[in-house]
C-alpha cells in the first residue's frame, strides 16, 4: 500500500487491504471508496458529519473587491514576511520543526486558499494593532473561503486544506467582538475539531497533522475555558483516546516546544475532566495531578520565571515574568490546568476555617493526602497570606471567602461549597475564633464601673465563639448530612476548662474562656440533637501551640513567664508551646477516632480530658 502525496490519502491494491489497515482508526460508515474500477483501485476518503452542514463563511464582507491599499503590490510580500516572522512564533510554539513557517508556507505556493488564509491572518493581526486596514483581511478571508468551501467536501483531510481552515478559525477567534460562544458557533460551521482529531488519528505518524491539530486544540482550550464547556464531543474523545501517539510525541520535555505541547495537552485533558459527563472520582483526579506535577518537575530550568512578584491584595496570584513568549504561553496553560484541578476535586471533603498558622498547618497536613478535598475558609483575600500559594501547589485545596459571624455570608459560602462538592461535606472543623477585646486581660472585679467594656468583652467573644459556630454549623448541616464521616469539630481551648482555670489560677481572659466554655456546651447540644442522624460532634483543645501569637508572647519575657508558670501548675513538666505540626497531627488522630460513644465531649489533643499541653 502506498501513501499519497499528502499523508491523509492512501492508495491500495484493493479495497479490502485498505479497509483492514484503517479498521481500527476510522468507523466504516465514515469511509467512502472513490473508485474508477469497482473494487480494485481507487481512493478511500474519510467523511465526517461535521463537514456536512452548510459552510457559511463567518464575518465576511459582501464583496471581495481588491482594496485600494493592495494595488501597489507591496502588501503580499509584507504580509507573508509578517506571517513567517511574527505570527509563526505562536503557531510553531509546540513544534520543534516549525512546520507552520516551513512546510505549510511551502504548501501555500500551490494551494491558493491556504495562501489567502495566510495573508488574511497576517493582515488581521496587523489590523488589530492598527497597522492595516480591516478591509484587507476581509478581502483575503473572502477569497480563501470562496476557494476553500467547494474544495473541502472532497479533500477535507488534505494538509493544505486543514491548515487553511485552522488559520481561518484563528481569525474568527481574533475578532474582537466575537464572544467565545459566537466564535465557537462560527468556527463549527467551518470545520469542527472532530475533523482535525480524525485527520490526525487517521495519519498518526504525520507530524504536520499533529501540529495543525495542536493549533486548533489551543483555540478550543480557550473556548472551553471561557465558556466552561467540554472540549471534545464524545465521538472526538474516543478518537483522541485511540491516538496513543499523542503522549509519546510530546514526551521529550528537554525540547522547549515539545515541553510546551505537553502542557497544552495536559490543560486540554484537565478541561475535559472538568466539563465532561463522567463522574469526578477520587481515582481519576490524582492521575491528572501527577501529570501536572510531573510536567512541573521535568520541564527545563529555562521555563522557570525570571522574576516572581509576591501576591498582593490587588493581584492575589502575584505576577511572573519570563525570558521568552513560549515559556509564558506554557505558564498560562499550566495555570489553567492547575486552577481547573483546584476547582474540580472529587467530593471527599474536609472543611476548614481560618488561614493563620494553625489553620495553615491543618490545611497543609490535610492537603498532603490527594484523596482529601480541603476547603479553606478565609475572611478575605486580603488576609489570605500564603494560602493561595499553597492552593496552587496542592490542587485539592479550595479557598472560599466567608465572614463567619455573618449568617448571610455563610449561606452564600455554603452554596459555593455545595457546587464544588456535589452538596457533600465529611468533616467540618471550626477553628476561627474571637479572643475578645482590649479588655481581655482584666480580672472579673476590674470590670466594676466598666460595665460597657464588660458588655463589649463578653458580647464580642460570644459572637465569635458561640454564635459564629452555630451560624456555621447550621449553614453547613445539609451538606454534612450528605457526607460520609458526618463530623463537626469545634476547636476550643483548655482555657475554657473549669479545672484548668482553677488549677492554673488565671483570672484574665474572661470573655474568651467563658465563651469557649459556652461553645463546648453548644457542641454537646448538637451531639444530643443529631445523634440519631449519625452526626458526631467534638470540642477539641489544640494544646499550647507555637503559632504567631505564641511567638509574639515569647518575645515578651514577663508575659511568657507568667503564662508558662501558671500552665506549669497544671503540667509541671511543661517547657513551652508545641509545634504546629505536632498539634495538628495529634488533633487529626483524635478526630479520626471520634465515634458515637465520644460524641459531644470536650477532649485535649491527646484524646483525653486531662493532658492539656
Ligand atoms: N494559639 C494557641 O496556642 C491556642 C491555644 C488554645 C486554643 N486555641 C484555639 O485554636 C484556634 C486557632 O487559634 P490560632 O492561634 O491558630 O489563631 P489564628 O491563627 O489567629 O486563627 C484565627 C482565625 O480566625 C479567623 N477569623 C476570625 N474572625 C473571623 C470571621 N468573622 N470570619 C472568618 N474568619 C475569621 C481569622 O481570620 P483573619 O486572619 O482574617 O483575622 C484567623 O485566621 C482558636 O479557636 C483558638 O481558640 C489556640
Amino acid at each position: 500500500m502506498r501513501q499519497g502525496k499528502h499523508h491523509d490519502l492512501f492508495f491500495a491494491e484493493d479495497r479490502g487491504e485498505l479497509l483492514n489497515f484503517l479498521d481500527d482508526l476510522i468507523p466504516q460508515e465514515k469511509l467512502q471508496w472513490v473508485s474508477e474500477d469497482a473494487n480494485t483501485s481507487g481512493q478511500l476518503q474519510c467523511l465526517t458529519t461535521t463537514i456536512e452542514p452548510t459552510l457559511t463563511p463567518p464575518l465576511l464582507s459582501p464583496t471581495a473587491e481588491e482594496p485600494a491599499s493592495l494595488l501597489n503590490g507591496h502588501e503580499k510580500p509584507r504580509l507573508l514576511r509578517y506571517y513567517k516572522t511574527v505570527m509563526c512564533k505562536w503557531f510553531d510554539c509546540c513544534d520543534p520543526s516549525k512546520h507552520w513557517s516551513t512546510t505549510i508556507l511551502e504548501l501555500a505556493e500551490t494551494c491558493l486558499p491556504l495562501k489567502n488564509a495566510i495573508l488574511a491572518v497576517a493582515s488581521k493581526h496587523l489590523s488589530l494593532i492598527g497597522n492595516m486596514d480591516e478591509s484587507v483581511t476581509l478581502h483575503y478571508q473572502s477569497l480563501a473561503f470562496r476557494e476553500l468551501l467547494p474544495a473541502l467536501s472532497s479533500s477535507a483531510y488534505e494538509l493544505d486544506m486543514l491548515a487553511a481552515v485552522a488559520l481561518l478559525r484563528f481569525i474568527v477567534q481574533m475578532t474582537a467582538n466575537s464572544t467565545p460562544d459566537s466564535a465557537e458557533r462560527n468556527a463549527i460551521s467551518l470545520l469542527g475539531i472532530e475533523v482535525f482529531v480524525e485527520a490526525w488519528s487517521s495519519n498518526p505518524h504525520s507530524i504536520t497533522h499533529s501540529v495543525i491539530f495542536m493549533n486548533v486544540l489551543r483555540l478550543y482550550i480557550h473556548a472551553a475555558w471561557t465558556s466552561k464547556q467540554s472540549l471534545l464531543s464524545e465521538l472526538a474523545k474516543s478518537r483522541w483516546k485511540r491516538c496513543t501517539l499523542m503522549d509519546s510525541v510530546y514526551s521529550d520535555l528537554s525540547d522547549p516546544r515539545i515541553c510546551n505541547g505537553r502542557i497544552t495537552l495536559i490543560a486540554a485533558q484537565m478541561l475535559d475532566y472538568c466539563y465532561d459527563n463522567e463522574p469526578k472520582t477520587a481515582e481519576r483526579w490524582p492521575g491528572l495531578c501527577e501529570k501536572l506535577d510531573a510536567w512541573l518537575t521535568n520541564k527545563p530550568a529555562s521555563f522557570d520565571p525570571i522574576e516572581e512578584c509576591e501576591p498582593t491584595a490587588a493581584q492575589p496570584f502575584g505576577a511572573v515574568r519570563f525570558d521568552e513568549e513560549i515559556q509564558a504561553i506554557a505558564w498560562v496553560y499550566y495555570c489553567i490546568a492547575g486552577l481547573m484541578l483546584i476547582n474540580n476535586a472529587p467530593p471527599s471533603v474536609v472543611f476548614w476555617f481560618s488561614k493563620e498558622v494553625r489553620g495553615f498547618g491543618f490545611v497543609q497536613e490535610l492537603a498532603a493526602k490527594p484523596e482529601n478535598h480541603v476547603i479553606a475558609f478565609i475572611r478575605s483575600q486580603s488576609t489570605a497570606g500564603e494560602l493561595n500559594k499553597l492552593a496552587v501547589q496542592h490542587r485539592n485545596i479550595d479557598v472560599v471567602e466567608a465572614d463567619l459571624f455573618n449568617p448571610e455570608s455563610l449561606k452564600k459560602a455554603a452554596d459555593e461549597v455545595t457546587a464544588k462538592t456535589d452538596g457533600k461535606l465529611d468533616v467540618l472543623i471550626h477553628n476561627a475564633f474571637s479572643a475578645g477585646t482590649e479588655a481581655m486581660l482584666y480580672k472579673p472585679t476590674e470590670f466594676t464601673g466598666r460595665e460597657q467594656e464588660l458588655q463589649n468583652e463578653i458580647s464580642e467573644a460570644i459572637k465569635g465563639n458561640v454564635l459564629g459556630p452555630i451560624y456555621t454549623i447550621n449553614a453547613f448541616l445539609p451538606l454534612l448530612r450528605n457526607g460520609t464521616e458526618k463530623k463537626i469539630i469545634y476547636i476550643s481551648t483548655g482555657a475554657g476548662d473549669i479545672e484548668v482555670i482553677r488549677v492554673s489560677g488565671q483570672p484574665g481572659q474572661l470573655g474568651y474562656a467563658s465563651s469557649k466554655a459556652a461553645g463546648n456546651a453548644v457542641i454537646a447540644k448538637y451531639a444530643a440533637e443529631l445523634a440519631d442522624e449519625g452526626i458526631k460532634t467534638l470540642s477539641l483543645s489544640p494544646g499550647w501551640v507555637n503559632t504567631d501569637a505564641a511567638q509574639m508572647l515569647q518575645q515578651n519575657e514577663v508575659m511568657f513567664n507568667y503564662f508558662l508558670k501558671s500552665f506549669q501548675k497544671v503540667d509541671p513538666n511543661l517547657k513551652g508551646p508545641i509545634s504546629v505540626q505536632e498539634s495538628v497531627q495529634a488533633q487529626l488522630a483524635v478526630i479520626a477516632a471520634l465515634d458515637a460513644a465520644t460524641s459531644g465531649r470536650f477532649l485535649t489533643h491527646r484524646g483525653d480530658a486531662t493532658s492539656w499541653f
Side-chain angles (χ1 to χ4, degrees):
M1 191 167 60
R2 292 173 292 120
Q3 199 163 15
K5 174 172 154 263
H6 300 312
H7 298 262
D8 58 335
L9 291 180
F10 295 90
F11 299 93
E13 288 309 308
D14 64 43
R15 180 182 178 165
E17 185 195 353
L18 200 52
L19 285 178
N20 280 345
F21 171 70
L22 292 174
D23 198 28
D24 198 38
L25 293 173
I26 304 163
Q28 293 293 314
E29 65 275 12
K30 289 280 174 71
L31 298 172
Q32 189 184 62
W33 183 249
V34 183
S35 118
E36 304 100 41
D37 182 13
N39 267 347
T40 50
S41 71
Q43 278 184 17
L44 193 69
Q45 290 185 350
C46 301
L47 299 179
T48 160
T49 47
T50 339
I51 58 172
E52 280 164 16
T54 4
L55 297 164
T56 328
L59 310 162
L60 288 190
S61 65
T63 68
E65 309 238 319
E66 185 136 318
S69 58
L70 291 181
L71 296 177
N72 65 23
H74 298 309
E75 288 301 349
K76 273 189 200 168
R78 179 188 166 205
L79 288 173
L80 289 172
R81 209 167 37 247
Y82 189 77
Y83 164 81
K84 189 170 175 171
T85 54
V86 177
M87 307 285 305
C88 281
K89 273 192 191 161
W90 165 263
F91 296 129
D92 280 332
C93 78
C94 297
D95 175 15
S97 309
K98 303 188 182 174
H99 283 75
W100 285 89
S101 49
T102 54
T103 314
I104 287 170
L105 206 48
E106 282 161 26
L107 286 175
E109 284 168 22
T110 52
C111 175
L112 214 50
L114 176 57
K115 187 166 190 172
N116 284 324
I118 288 175
L119 295 168
V121 84
S123 57
K124 176 73 187 178
H125 197 258
L126 280 165
S127 78
L128 286 178
I129 56 173
N131 288 339
M132 184 151 290
D133 194 285
E134 173 83 13
S135 62
V136 178
T137 309
L138 291 173
H139 171 72
Y140 286 124
Q141 204 180 2
S142 180
L143 286 181
F145 273 111
R146 197 184 285 169
E147 293 142 357
L148 190 68
L149 296 182
L152 272 184
S153 56
S154 60
S155 54
Y157 283 22
E158 293 274 4
L159 278 174
D160 41 16
M161 294 294 148
L162 288 170
V165 171
L167 291 172
L168 291 169
R169 290 215 42 176
F170 192 75
I171 297 174
V172 174
Q173 209 114 345
M174 285 160 84
T175 303
N177 60 2
S178 86
T179 61
D181 264 3
S182 71
E184 192 56 12
R185 271 199 307 279
N186 282 326
I188 280 172
S189 75
L190 187 56
L191 266 192
I193 194 169
E194 283 81 0
V195 176
F196 292 87
V197 177
E198 283 198 15
W200 186 15
S201 67
S202 40
N203 300 280
H205 299 283
S206 161
I207 303 290
T208 320
H209 273 90
S210 79
V211 298
I212 292 176
F213 168 77
M214 283 304 277
N215 273 286
V216 176
L217 183 67
R218 287 154 75 206
L219 298 179
Y220 267 79
I221 288 177
H222 173 77
W225 165 246
T226 43
S227 63
K228 298 187 172 23
Q229 281 166 12
S230 181
L231 198 69
L232 300 174
S233 70
E234 289 308 309
L235 171 79
K237 211 180 293 176
S238 67
R239 222 37 105 258
W240 177 336
K241 278 179 187 154
R242 272 198 243 159
C243 206
T244 47
L245 277 188
M246 189 104 79
D247 276 345
S248 57
V249 168
Y250 292 95
S251 63
D252 173 16
L253 298 193
S254 63
D255 183 301
R257 287 186 161 73
I258 301 257
C259 185
N260 205 352
R262 177 91 191 153
I263 192 64
T264 307
L265 287 174
I266 293 174
Q269 286 165 2
M270 298 302 172
L271 282 160
D272 247 10
Y273 161 78
C274 294
Y275 299 126
D276 69 10
N277 294 325
E278 290 168 35
K280 299 185 182 3
T281 59
E283 290 77 42
R284 286 177 78 197
W285 198 70
L288 293 169
C289 293
E290 274 163 30
K291 275 193 178 184
L292 197 58
D293 289 343
W295 182 85
L296 193 65
T297 313
N298 297 321
K299 67 178 174 22
S302 63
F303 270 63
D304 290 335
I306 50 172
E307 190 188 348
E308 271 186 276
C309 307
E310 284 299 312
T312 60
Q315 227 171 3
F317 290 100
V320 279
R321 295 201 171 76
F322 295 90
D323 224 1
E324 292 180 36
E325 289 99 332
I326 187 173
Q327 293 131 7
I329 292 170
W331 195 251
V332 168
Y333 288 116
Y334 173 74
C335 289
I336 287 180
L339 287 171
M340 287 280 99
L341 278 184
I342 290 170
N343 286 319
N344 291 278
S348 157
V349 181
V350 173
F351 179 64
W352 176 249
F353 265 106
S354 155
K355 65 139 188 76
E356 282 291 349
V357 183
R358 194 198 328 291
F360 197 68
F362 254 116
V363 175
Q364 261 177 328
E365 198 71 27
L366 290 167
K369 291 192 179 154
E371 64 272 23
N372 285 336
H373 177 180
V374 185
I375 301 186
F377 271 73
I378 50 169
R379 195 186 339 224
S380 118
Q381 274 294 345
S382 61
T383 53
E386 291 289 294
L387 193 57
N388 280 335
K389 253 193 187 168
L390 191 72
V392 170
Q393 284 159 11
H394 293 271
R395 281 157 300 272
N396 52 348
I397 301 174
D398 264 316
V399 181
V400 172
E401 277 182 296
D403 178 353
L404 106 124
F405 299 166
N406 177 339
E408 280 309 306
S409 166
L410 280 161
K411 186 175 173 327
K412 232 176 100 223
D415 289 345
E416 206 177 316
V417 175
T418 301
K420 288 177 191 299
T421 66
D422 286 342
K424 293 181 198 156
L425 201 59
D426 284 340
V427 184
L428 168 67
I429 304 177
H430 192 288
N431 174 68
F433 77 113
S434 163
T437 62
E438 284 175 359
M440 67 175 78
L441 292 181
Y442 290 2
K443 298 165 193 161
T445 56
E446 285 174 341
F447 282 107
T448 312
R450 292 171 168 161
E451 282 71 25
Q452 189 55 52
E453 282 177 78
L454 173 64
Q455 235 176 63
N456 294 347
E457 165 69 8
I458 298 292
S459 63
E460 193 55 37
I462 291 284
K463 197 163 97 181
N465 304 330
V466 179
L467 297 177
I470 297 176
Y471 296 149
T472 309
I473 294 170
N474 289 349
F476 287 93
L477 203 52
L479 287 87
L480 281 156
R481 287 189 169 115
N482 294 333
T484 317
E485 296 269 320
K486 300 186 198 300
K487 291 181 179 174
I488 298 170
I489 313 299
Y490 171 66
I491 302 301
S492 186
T493 170
D497 178 76
I498 306 290
E499 198 56 14
V500 172
I501 299 172
R502 213 181 57 77
V503 177
S504 68
Q506 275 191 23
Q509 295 186 299
L510 194 61
Y512 177 62
S514 57
S515 62
K516 283 284 190 177
N520 296 344
V522 165
I523 293 303
K525 292 285 182 195
Y526 272 110
E529 184 189 348
L530 302 173
D532 287 349
E533 296 186 59
I535 296 177
K536 284 97 41 192
T537 73
L538 183 70
S539 298
L540 181 59
S541 163
W544 190 19
V545 192
N546 204 2
T547 59
D548 280 354
Q551 281 165 18
M552 273 166 66
L553 191 67
Q554 288 186 51
Q555 285 164 15
N556 182 336
E557 212 177 319
V558 178
M559 234 5 194
F560 179 76
N561 284 334
Y562 165 76
F563 276 101
L564 181 62
K565 283 214 168 74
S566 64
F567 290 158
Q568 279 172 340
K569 292 181 196 160
V570 180
D571 178 357
N573 297 321
L574 181 68
K575 301 276 182 302
I578 56 173
S579 74
V580 171
Q581 198 187 21
E582 184 183 342
S583 167
V584 165
Q585 285 176 351
Q587 288 180 80
L588 287 176
V590 179
I591 293 171
L594 172 64
D595 58 16
T598 45
S599 180
R601 292 190 69 189
F602 173 31
L603 297 178
T604 73
H605 60 298
R606 312 270 182 221
D608 60 25
T610 50
S611 318
W612 300 102
F613 299 100

